[in-house]
Structures are given as C-alpha cells and as structure tokens.
Amino acid sequence: SDPTSLLQDLFPAMSASEIRGLMQETQSLKWEYAPWVLVREEPARKKYINILPEGYRSNGRTAAAEPVLKIYFFGGSTGFGWGVRDQDTIPAQLETHLRRLNPRIQVYNFARSNYWSDQETVLLWSLIQEGHRPDIVVFLDGLNEGQIDPQYAPEMRRLFDLANTKRDFLLLTAFEDIAIVKAIRTLLPRQVPERFFLSERRYYVAGDAPKIAARWATNREVVRALGERHHFKPYFFIQPILGYKNPWHKHRFNRESVQDELGSKIWTPST
C-alpha cells in the first residue's frame, strides 16, 4: 500500500505525491548560524516551505504593504509548522482569521524548530535591538521547555575543546561510533575533556518540573518588561504535549510507528 495513506487524513486536499513532496522538503531544511540564538533554519524558497532572509516563515500569501497591526509569533517546531505547508501553520491560520477583521493585519512567523522560551526571549530582544517594533507578540511553548542547551550546543563545545586542547581530533570525532575508534578513545590522554565526545542533547529530568516552570515564568516576566518598555502586548500559550498523561508508546504518530509504517519512502530527503 502507499505509505502516504497514513498521512492522507491529515492532508485531505493534497495528493499522495504532494504529501511526499512536502515531507521531503521538510526533511531537507538546513541550519545556519544566527547571532545570540546560535542556530536557525536557513532561508528557503520551495514549493511548500518558504523562509525569508529576515528570519521568519512565509504565511503563503502576499504580505500587507503597510500593516496596521504587526504580530510577531514565537515558538518551536509546532509554531514553525514542521511538516505542513506555509499556509497551514498556526501563525498563518491566525493571520487568516484576523484578516477577516482587517486585511492589513500581518503575522510574522518567527517560530523555529527546537526553540524554547530562552531562545525565543533572546530572539525577541535581538529583533528589538535591530529596530523592529511589533504591536503584539505571541509565544507558544511547552514541548521544548525541558532543554538545557540549544540545538548544536554539544557540537559547539567540541569546537572549543579542539581549540583548547590543540589537538586534531576532527577525524576521530567524525568516526567516533566505530568500534576501533571507541577502543582508541580508551587510550587517549586524560587532558581530553570527556564532553568532547557528547553527541546527544541534554534535557532536564522529570523531577526538575518546578525548575522548568520557574524558568519559563522568568522568561515571561522579561517579555512583559520588554513590552512595557517598547509598547507591545504579549500573549503566552502552553501547547498540549504528547505523552503527558497519555500513553505515548500507543500514539499513532510516535517516531517509531511512523518510521515503521512509512519507511524511507517519505522521510528520505530528495536528492
């Protein structure tokens, strides 16, 4: 059977080939360095996904020439719209509804994959420093709040370790999962920092929930203070989180079941 059938009910207006193209575009998105927040999606000009050089994603329609109300939307992949077309993202749908009131309302989708409130707050601050002046800011958070490091922070630490140890471990890093390399690793001198070999991202554990909530609340207060100073109104939303008080392993779209059912036919980026 066609593996796209699993997603067909989510995209009723799209054919199987269009769904496959959307998934391939999503998986082919690349990262680039961004000041203060470390990384962001590279600008992209595709059939379904378009990211402007200014750092926000298109809403799939013509931007208002002189917006009477500018709304900046911040969040992670849910807000960015990972796996959906430009016009189907949450910020795009918000703009669609608001333009029924006034066609000159503009929503800017500054949500980025893997971002959480720490990075989003810094991103807002940096936009203000560049002279941006939104009328309203919207934050949609929740799933990514348990992170300790931004995306690619472990790789950044490796680069510093390389510079500090004055040793050439680039080749070793590239092949560190090979058995012989693991054996060599046990023979390395002790001055090589252990964190050089980290490849996974770090998260708080479940017992740190109060700390996670307090951190989010602190970011909320910072945004509110910026709003008072720069005359914009902030709104904060917590997204429903898969796996919270429900059996994640039984969810139809958990990572393992999707990969098993769809295979590489959809998820392998186009070449």
Side-chain angles (χ1 to χ4, degrees), residues 93-143:
Q93 291 298 305
L94 174 63
E95 183 179 87
T96 296
H97 287 288
L98 292 177
R99 283 194 172 183
R100 294 170 182 169
L101 302 175
N102 190 318
R104 291 170 60 192
I105 293 175
Q106 183 72 41
V107 178
Y108 297 86
N109 185 357
F110 281 104
R112 296 170 180 176
S113 298
N114 300 303
Y115 272 38
W116 77 104
S117 60
D118 284 35
Q119 285 176 294
E120 296 156 18
T121 302
V122 174
L123 175 57
L124 171 60
W125 168 83
S126 67
L127 290 171
I128 292 173
Q129 291 290 84
E130 293 171 1
H132 292 262
R133 292 296 182 268
D135 301 296
I136 292 174
V137 299
V138 177
F139 286 79
L140 176 63
D141 292 302
L143 185 60

Side-chain angles (χ1 to χ4, degrees), residues 186-199:
T186 64
L187 303 176
L188 289 172
R190 291 183 177 273
Q191 66 263 32
V192 179
E194 181 67 19
R195 70 169 186 259
F196 180 81
F197 296 95
L198 288 178
S199 58

Side-chain angles (χ1 to χ4, degrees), residues 40 113 144 157 173 186 221 223:
R40 71 176 189 180
S113 298
N144 294 335
R157 281 194 293 272
T173 304
T186 64
E221 294 309 308
V223 172

Side-chain angles (χ1 to χ4, degrees), residues 31-52:
W31 295 91
E32 68 177 7
Y33 168 78
W36 306 111
V37 291
L38 192 61
V39 295
R40 71 176 189 180
E41 285 90 356
E42 281 187 344
R45 189 174 182 179
K46 302 175 182 291
K47 181 177 181 179
Y48 303 108
I49 301 174
N50 293 274
I51 304 171
L52 282 72

Side-chain angles (χ1 to χ4, degrees), residues 219-232 234:
N219 289 327
R220 180 182 59 183
E221 294 309 308
V222 171
V223 172
R224 285 174 172 171
L226 286 171
E228 291 180 4
R229 175 66 177 83
H230 296 284
H231 313 294
F232 62 77

